[in-house]
Amino acid sequence: YKRQELDVFLPLTWSDDSLLFADVRGSLGDTGNHEGNWALAWRRITAENRIVGLWGSYDLRESPTGNHFDQAAFGLEILSVEKEFRINGYVPSDLAPKHLAGGPATAVISGNNLVVRSDGEAAYWGMDAEFGKLLWFNDPYEEKADAWYGGLDAELRAFVGGYYFDNPESTFEQIAGPRVRSELRLYDLAMLGDGSRLTLEGLIQDDQLRGTQAEGGVYIRIPFGAGPRRRLDRLQRRMVDRIVRDVDVVAHRQTTEEAAQFADSGLAVSSARIIDAADDLSASVAAAGTNSLVIVDGSAGAFAESDTTTLNAGQAVLGGGSTLAVVGAETGTQVTFTAPGARPTVNGTDTQQDVFQIADDTLLG
């Protein structure tokens, strides 16, 4: 998986000890995953030579499946020359699963319920945090006798942290695990001028859902506009570090189940059961209750009934092999349910009694 990212870092107001800036990002992935992030951030240098920062953003994602997700994201960061800590949060606007267009969908009996089963994709809320430390640096203005790197303005930093993402739908598993990464930074490159940077990043993370993932990245910062009046010192250039965050709206695909509704009436299917010749037909239909689905399976032989089977309000009674149009209660996915089993034979043993009695909003098929 490859991704190209453009990040515009735009200072809005900058004093000796504070900075307000906008951070606008866009990315394109070769799998069809596209992202956009629009952030506003503030940083301030404290009397203890630390930087405290706050940011908030609106994020938009088009996944490879064509679904769109958006979220609000925010973060807190504490930076110094040698150490740093950050924590970020992500809150999607919609956590409901979205059906994958063109994907297969079926209606099945699960437990005592009729559900629509399909491939779905949902956004996750979550958070991540990390602690970082400077491992090595080189100051080109200090004497480095015969060192090949003596002219480089460089730093090596390491980070350790973790992440947790979840969705309230029970069918979607949580995504949580550790993350470690490193950055080698080269500052004020001769060919790009003061304020430029080249950053080489490596990252490894692991969770129970996606397994172990490794990433590598190359970031080049090119300054535009009027040049600085002087080079930034080591703390000041931390003021213009890029915001470190998960740029994705975290989403995941998996098989989902949602409650089914009768397509014709729009009523929710309250329960579903299968009966055969060993059951009392009229008693079973009565016990199923209103808005229920009863499948009459003829595989075990013919039914012999001496009384009338009266359908409850909103109820459907189907023979094995019959079909029924249903929709998903959440996504509106339309599915044709095929009743399991064989077509039944129902014999009325009392000629004075009707075998079935139906009413409005009921179905006998």
Side-chain angles (χ1 to χ4, degrees):
Y1 172 66
K2 298 179 181 178
R3 182 179 68 200
Q4 297 81 40
E5 181 178 306
L6 176 65
D7 184 353
V8 178
F9 186 98
L10 181 62
L12 301 177
T13 62
W14 196 348
S15 66
D16 289 339
D17 60 1
S18 67
L19 170 66
L20 178 68
F21 64 93
D23 186 85
V24 181
R25 305 185 190 189
S27 65
L28 299 176
D30 60 359
T31 61
N33 185 67
H34 309 315
E35 302 275 347
N37 313 116
W38 297 265
L40 186 66
W42 170 85
R43 287 174 176 158
R44 183 177 181 85
I45 301 176
T46 69
E48 295 79 20
N49 283 332
R50 294 189 181 92
I51 297 171
V52 176
L54 297 169
W55 64 268
S57 80
Y58 170 75
D59 305 331
L60 182 65
R61 174 185 181 186
E62 180 183 357
S63 74
T65 63
N67 284 324
H68 290 78
F69 303 98
D70 63 343
Q71 71 179 9
F74 49 88
L76 165 69
E77 55 188 5
I78 301 174
L79 314 174
S80 68
V81 171
E82 294 189 350
K83 298 178 182 179
E84 58 197 276
F85 171 78
R86 59 181 52 86
I87 184 169
N88 305 317
Y90 311 91
V91 183
S93 62
D94 185 4
L95 293 168
K98 298 183 179 182
H99 176 64
L100 300 186
T106 58
V108 297
I109 294 177
S110 177
N112 291 322
N113 298 297
L114 183 66
V115 299
V116 174
R117 183 177 293 165
S118 62
D119 286 338
E121 186 175 29
Y124 280 57
W125 67 269
M127 61 180 293
D128 56 33
E130 71 174 10
F131 173 79
K133 191 176 189 308
L134 176 67
L135 300 182
W136 169 86
F137 78 96
N138 182 72
D139 188 340
Y141 298 101
E142 295 179 359
E143 292 186 4
K144 299 287 192 300
D146 299 325
W148 64 268
Y149 55 82
L152 296 178
D153 192 345
E155 293 180 345
L156 177 63
R157 296 181 179 270
F159 306 84
V160 59
Y163 53 94
Y164 177 90
F165 292 90
D166 204 358
N167 183 282
E169 281 288 325
S170 59
T171 54
F172 282 84
E173 301 178 53
Q174 65 180 226
I175 302 173
R179 174 186 291 151
V180 294
R181 66 185 188 91
S182 62
E183 288 185 3
L184 175 63
R185 303 178 181 178
L186 304 179
Y187 295 94
D188 301 331
L189 304 173
M191 66 182 66
L192 297 178
D194 290 346
S196 61
R197 293 187 190 184
L198 172 65
T199 302
L200 306 179
E201 181 187 51
L203 177 151
I204 298 177
Q205 63 184 27
D206 179 80
D207 56 70
Q208 73 283 8
L209 196 57
R210 300 175 298 187
T212 301
Q213 297 176 299
E215 296 181 8
V218 179
Y219 301 92
I220 300 175
R221 171 173 284 187
I222 303 173
F224 292 97
R229 290 172 294 180
R230 59 183 173 84
R231 285 194 175 189
L232 302 178
D233 63 32
R234 296 180 63 206
L235 182 62
Q236 288 173 334
R237 67 188 181 188
R238 300 235 63 193
M239 289 282 280
V240 294
D241 278 359
R242 66 188 180 95
I243 296 173
V244 178
R245 48 155 300 172
D246 195 323
V247 297
D248 293 336
V249 180
V250 175
H252 185 64
R253 293 177 54 181
Q254 64 188 62
T255 301
T256 64
E257 291 184 353
E258 58 181 313
Q261 295 177 340
F262 295 113
D264 290 341
S265 65
L267 298 172
V269 181
S270 61
S271 65
R273 64 180 65 187
I274 303 173
I275 62 174
D276 59 24
D279 301 298
D280 186 305
L281 176 61
S282 59
S284 298
V285 170
T290 60
N291 305 334
S292 61
L293 172 64
V294 178
I295 307 301
V296 184
D297 180 8
S299 301
F303 289 78
E305 293 294 315
S306 61
D307 56 354
T308 300
T309 298
T310 302
L311 275 63
N312 296 285
Q315 189 177 50
V317 177
L318 299 180
S322 298
T323 59
L324 175 69
V326 298
V327 298
E330 296 179 8
T331 64
T333 303
Q334 299 184 1
V335 182
T336 298
F337 169 71
T338 300
R343 292 293 296 173
T345 298
V346 181
N347 299 317
T349 60
D350 186 346
T351 59
Q352 304 300 313
Q353 297 283 343
D354 293 329
V355 179
F356 290 99
Q357 182 176 331
I358 62 175
D360 292 340
D361 293 328
T362 60
L363 174 65
L364 180 64

